[in-house]
Amino acid sequence: MTSTKPLRLASLALAVALASGAALTSAPALAQAVIVAPVAPPPPRVEVVPAPRAGYVWDQGRWRWYRGRYVWVPGHWQTVRPGYHWVPGHWVQRGPHWRWVEGHWA
């Protein structure tokens, strides 16, 4: 009579490995809400950009779509990521609507 215990353990280990791999590959990347506005944003406001700060980059102010209207969000400092440059967020027209593209490091 042969033992099936090693075979069951190997099958179990394979099942766990496959399940773990599937969980890692099927998990969504950092999901971000898609912001869509029905009208163009107002022109940007003129901001006084503070004097440069070592280790930081200025992220300009922007119009944010909030509860059916645009509201101004003032600029702020972003901590520099060595080897990257800051791409500011911006509005892009898609057909009759406007979509917000979040600022990011590239």
Side-chain angles (χ1 to χ4, degrees):
M1 184 162 138
T2 60
S3 171
T4 59
K5 189 173 185 176
L7 182 56
R8 280 187 274 165
L9 288 176
S11 296
L12 179 61
L14 179 60
V16 168
L18 289 174
S20 298
L24 290 174
T25 58
S26 65
L30 295 173
Q32 293 183 357
V34 176
I35 307 298
V36 178
V39 295
R45 288 186 177 174
V46 176
E47 285 188 308
V48 176
V49 178
R53 290 176 59 186
Y56 294 88
V57 63
W58 181 253
D59 186 12
Q60 77 234 11
R62 64 181 179 91
W63 289 107
R64 176 178 166 218
W65 185 253
Y66 181 71
R67 296 186 179 184
R69 66 185 183 94
Y70 284 103
V71 294
W72 182 254
V73 177
H76 62 277
W77 292 106
Q78 292 276 4
T79 305
V80 168
R81 289 184 60 192
Y84 294 87
H85 69 276
W86 178 249
V87 178
H90 55 279
W91 288 98
V92 177
Q93 188 172 13
R94 298 272 193 257
H97 302 307
W98 290 80
R99 180 178 294 226
W100 175 250
V101 177
E102 196 66 43
H104 60 277
W105 292 99

